[in-house]
Amino acid sequence: MSSKITINKISHSSFSESTYHDCYSFSKRSAFLSLIFFFISFFLVLKMQSIITRTLRGSLIRNNNKLTCISPIRFATPKQFYATESSNVTPKNLTKWTVLKTSAKIAFVTGIGYGCYEMYVQRHPLVQAEIDPEKKTIVILGSGWASTSFLKDIDTDHYNVVVVSPRNYFLFTPLLPETTVGTIDVRSVIEPTRFIARHKSRSVKVIEAECTQIDPDNKVITIKDNSQVKEEHTVSTLRYDYLIVGVGAMSATFGVKGVEEYGCFLKEVWDAQKIRTKLMDCIETAAFPNQTSDEIDRLLHMVVVGGGPTGIEYAAELHDFLVDDLTSWYPELAGKVKITLIEALPHVLPAFSKKLIDYTESTFKEQNISIHTKTMVKEVREKEIEVKRPDGTTDSIPYGLLVWATGNTSRPLIRDLMEKFPETQKDRRGLSVDEWLRLDGSEDIYALGDATATRYAPTAQVAAQQGKYLARLFKQLAVREDLEFELINATDEEKAKKERKLRKARDVKPFEYSHQGSLCYIGSDKAVADLPFGPAGNLASGGVATFAFWRSAYISSLFSTRNRALVITDWLKKTALGRDISRE
């Protein structure tokens, strides 16, 4: 298979109706952008005229300092201008407030114009090149942080790309706890994979299916249709030249009996929807007539297992829902709702600094959220959980809703792949990779994100950086192959130059993680931030100001202008109208 980069020219016979439609869309885009920039330019001209007018505006003052005339000059002729100068005109200096207002107006109009441009581009993608059989094929498994970051940055001019995932969207997981209580809508934090794939230069094939088996010897994967509507062909195979494994991980139960039957995880969209439904079930059932006081207390006891950022943020969102909404609409029950957080380690948020841990625990205490550290869950039953206290005694805690937000474990597909490389894949946490994210024991399989076992924490930040790095690596590999091919037919003068470029292309640097800090919402419009800068190399901050930074950081991290607009709108709706308490 040749790796030469070819350019497919469009002949007149291939200029189909769809191509005409795309070109017509491009002309509409040009007209739309021209209109936007015309209005911006017109506004800037008016503002510049206003500034010049204010500068030339004067007051004719007599020697006795008596005001005689105020004459604004808009379009002054040279004669009028010199006459004004000879009449002791005193120019009016621009104040800082005027400059600030003008700058704000210009920035506002420019921002609106840019936003309109971004939305138009997202709604009207350009023409894509067709799949080239002469190019190598990259198959991406998964649509999480790692896989989606790779898809956004991969140069499809050099490769054919196929995405296989059981869900056809990317989920912004840091804001998932907010969807469980109606702070934001689920649709606001998901980005369809086809939206991203459609804006690549070459057509990307997106298949909603689950990969059930990987055959590294024959470079073939087996996929299965997991939709509810199934036809005759539910199983198929795909060939690949390079395989990107980014399927993530599952929530770990640590062998605790009853977790999968009675607990609620918080990792996917359906998990958040299940939690929201069960939460309202508990509240409405507690409001049903003739319930005993013990049963009401049990139904309104919400237990969160796991003191990491996910568990902390869900407990915080649940508290805000209680204070902001349940107090108004369920006044007879609001005072009976109880929130308990259980953590097996000595403290919550173990990855944060001691100062922020203490601040979080004190804030939860003020919010009447009970924290039980050094407490392990031994068994989960339908209406109660059995826990082991720090002193070794066991106790039963009744609950209405149980949210299980603990660690991760590898998926069955990953465990099956590890068994095919018994000599190199021995880490039970996940796939072992080298410094270039290549699977140990394979030359054409790469793994990243929570599916791997590396020295980095399994966070979205790590997965996103790995995806971007791998996209750059594949571009460098494509450049190297092109240079090797061109070097064969190069002249003596060109060889020296191309050999220098080739040496540079072969120098592939390993992946290095750059920690940008950790954020966590702790309720009551407060957040904590552990940032890797400051006088001591680490800045620990908490409070309302940090909450504003938390929101701005997450807004900037969203993948599209569409998501940013939807999330901001949801926050405004929640502030003005409150959360929706209806059951879905």
Side-chain angles (χ1 to χ4, degrees):
M1 183 180 295
S2 175
S3 61
K4 182 179 179 180
I5 303 299
T6 59
I7 300 176
N8 296 328
K9 296 184 179 180
I10 301 178
S11 62
H12 292 284
S13 61
S14 65
F15 196 83
S16 61
E17 183 179 353
S18 61
T19 308
Y20 171 79
H21 173 73
D22 290 328
C23 293
Y24 177 66
S25 298
F26 179 77
S27 63
K28 288 196 301 181
R29 174 185 298 183
S30 301
F32 182 78
L33 295 181
S34 300
L35 186 62
I36 290 176
F37 287 113
F38 169 78
F39 280 116
I40 294 176
S41 302
F42 182 73
F43 177 81
L44 293 177
V45 169
L46 290 180
K47 295 308 298 180
M48 291 302 298
Q49 176 190 338
S50 176
I51 292 173
I52 295 172
T53 302
R54 292 178 185 179
T55 304
L56 298 180
R57 182 180 298 162
S59 299
L60 298 179
I61 303 173
R62 296 181 180 272
N63 294 332
N64 58 0
N65 295 328
K66 182 178 179 181
L67 179 64
T68 59
C69 177
I70 297 177
S71 176
I73 299 174
R74 295 192 178 275
F75 298 96
T77 62
K79 182 178 180 180
Q80 292 171 329
F81 179 76
Y82 290 118
T84 304
E85 279 191 343
S86 62
S87 303
N88 297 325
V89 173
T90 304
K92 184 179 179 181
N93 294 327
L94 291 176
T95 64
K96 293 181 179 180
W97 174 244
T98 302
V99 174
L100 180 62
K101 286 196 301 181
T102 304
S103 301
K105 290 177 182 178
I106 294 175
F108 177 76
V109 173
T110 305
I112 293 295
Y114 178 75
C116 294
Y117 166 75
E118 282 291 326
M119 289 186 287
Y120 188 87
V121 168
Q122 290 183 11
R123 291 282 290 121
H124 301 82
L126 296 175
V127 181
Q128 287 182 304
E130 296 181 356
I131 294 177
D132 188 353
E134 295 186 4
K135 297 185 182 298
K136 294 184 177 180
T137 299
I138 300 176
V139 174
I140 307 172
L141 299 183
S143 57
W145 279 93
S147 299
T148 303
S149 297
F150 176 81
L151 175 62
K152 280 182 67 69
D153 288 7
I154 186 65
D155 190 349
T156 52
D157 289 336
H158 298 131
Y159 301 97
N160 300 317
V161 178
V162 180
V163 180
V164 177
S165 176
R167 63 186 193 192
N168 65 347
Y169 56 84
F170 162 77
L171 172 63
F172 190 81
T173 50
L175 292 178
L176 189 60
E178 295 198 10
T179 65
T180 60
V181 295
T183 303
I184 57 178
D185 187 72
V186 171
R187 293 287 177 183
S188 301
V189 294
I190 62 176
E191 178 78 1
T193 304
R194 295 182 187 274
F195 282 12
I196 302 172
R198 185 62 182 83
H199 286 84
K200 306 299 292 184
S201 60
R202 185 176 302 279
S203 178
V204 175
K205 192 172 184 180
V206 180
I207 304 174
E208 188 182 50
E210 182 179 1
C211 178
T212 57
Q213 189 176 13
I214 299 174
D215 184 357
D217 296 329
N218 298 314
K219 295 186 177 181
V220 173
I221 64 169
T222 303
I223 60 175
K224 181 180 179 181
D225 183 8
N226 64 344
S227 64
Q228 296 181 356
V229 180
K230 292 183 173 60
E231 298 296 334
E232 296 180 1
H233 304 287
T234 59
V235 179
S236 182
T237 58
L238 290 174
R239 300 190 64 84
Y240 66 84
D241 294 298
Y242 297 107
L243 182 65
I244 310 299
V245 182
V247 296
M250 301 167 53
S251 296
T253 63
F254 302 101
V256 178
K257 182 180 178 181
V259 174
E260 295 183 356
E261 291 82 1
Y262 306 114
C264 298
F265 300 111
L266 189 51
K267 208 169 184 65
E268 303 289 349
V269 167
W270 48 85
D271 294 331
Q273 293 171 336
K274 179 181 178 181
I275 291 173
R276 181 176 173 85
T277 300
K278 192 164 185 179
L279 173 63
M280 296 312 301
D281 282 344
C282 290
I283 294 172
E284 292 293 348
T285 304
F288 192 80
N290 301 323
Q291 294 282 15
T292 64
S293 59
D294 291 341
E295 185 65 8
I296 293 175
D297 291 339
R298 182 191 69 82
L299 289 168
L300 298 180
H301 188 196
M302 315 304 173
V303 177
V304 182
V305 180
T310 302
I312 292 293
E313 290 191 341
Y314 175 70
E317 290 292 338
L318 193 57
H319 166 266
D320 291 352
F321 180 52
L322 166 64
V323 173
D324 298 340
D325 300 275
L326 292 186
T327 304
S328 300
W329 312 121
Y330 297 87
E332 72 281 6
L333 298 178
K336 300 178 181 179
V337 177
K338 184 180 179 182
I339 305 173
T340 300
L341 188 138
I342 299 175
E343 170 58 45
L345 297 177
H347 300 283
V348 299
L349 297 178
F352 286 70
S353 64
K354 183 65 168 58
K355 178 182 177 181
L356 296 181
I357 292 174
D358 295 339
Y359 179 75
T360 301
E361 292 179 349
S362 64
T363 301
F364 270 28
K365 187 177 181 180
E366 294 174 359
Q367 297 172 163
N368 295 321
I369 300 177
S370 301
I371 300 179
H372 298 281
T373 56
K374 300 181 182 179
T375 303
M376 300 179 62
V377 179
K378 305 301 292 183
E379 185 179 354
V380 177
R381 305 186 186 95
E382 185 177 3
K383 296 183 178 181
E384 63 180 10
I385 59 174
E386 182 180 331
V387 298
K388 183 179 180 181
R389 300 291 185 182
D391 57 2
T393 60
T394 58
D395 191 11
S396 295
I397 301 177
Y399 71 91
L401 170 66
L402 174 67
V403 176
W404 193 270
T406 58
N408 297 331
T409 187
S410 57
R411 297 185 182 274
L413 176 67
I414 300 302
R415 293 195 291 267
D416 180 69
L417 181 60
M418 292 170 64
E419 292 177 356
K420 296 177 180 179
F421 298 92
E423 296 182 357
T424 56
Q425 300 296 325
K426 299 178 181 180
D427 196 328
R428 298 177 59 185
R429 297 178 301 151
L431 297 172
S432 299
V433 295
D434 59 16
E435 295 178 330
W436 296 269
L437 304 181
R438 184 171 48 198
L439 185 71
D440 288 343
S442 176
E443 292 294 327
D444 42 46
I445 299 178
Y446 293 78
L448 62 174
D450 294 353
T452 61
T454 63
R455 64 179 185 273
Y456 309 114
T459 62
Q461 190 176 160
V462 173
Q465 291 188 25
Q466 288 178 335
K468 294 178 180 179
Y469 163 80
L470 203 57
R472 295 194 302 268
L473 183 144
F474 271 92
K475 183 175 182 178
Q476 193 168 351
L477 291 178
V479 171
R480 186 179 69 184
E481 291 179 358
D482 292 344
L483 290 172
E484 289 175 348
F485 182 82
E486 293 173 359
L487 195 61
I488 299 175
N489 301 321
T491 62
D492 295 337
E493 297 179 357
E494 295 176 342
K495 279 187 177 181
K497 185 177 180 180
K498 291 186 181 296
E499 284 177 353
R500 287 196 300 270
K501 291 183 178 180
L502 183 59
R503 284 194 297 269
K504 185 177 180 181
R506 285 175 176 172
D507 183 19
V508 182
K509 296 181 180 179
F511 172 73
E512 291 184 4
Y513 170 63
S514 175
H515 185 60
Q516 303 299 317
S518 301
L519 301 170
C520 185
Y521 179 63
I522 60 174
S524 300
D525 292 341
K526 297 178 182 179
V528 292
D530 223 343
L531 305 176
F533 55 83
N538 185 48
L539 176 62
S541 174
V544 178
T546 308
F547 168 67
F549 174 75
W550 174 85
R551 278 198 165 180
S552 62
Y554 279 175
I555 284 293
S556 63
S557 299
L558 288 167
F559 271 22
S560 68
T561 305
R562 168 185 170 273
N563 285 131
R564 296 186 187 100
L566 290 174
V567 170
I568 292 174
T569 303
D570 288 342
W571 282 339
L572 293 175
K573 286 194 303 181
K574 188 270 298 181
T575 302
L577 306 174
R579 298 174 179 85
D580 184 7
I581 61 171
S582 61
R583 179 163 44 187
E584 296 181 358

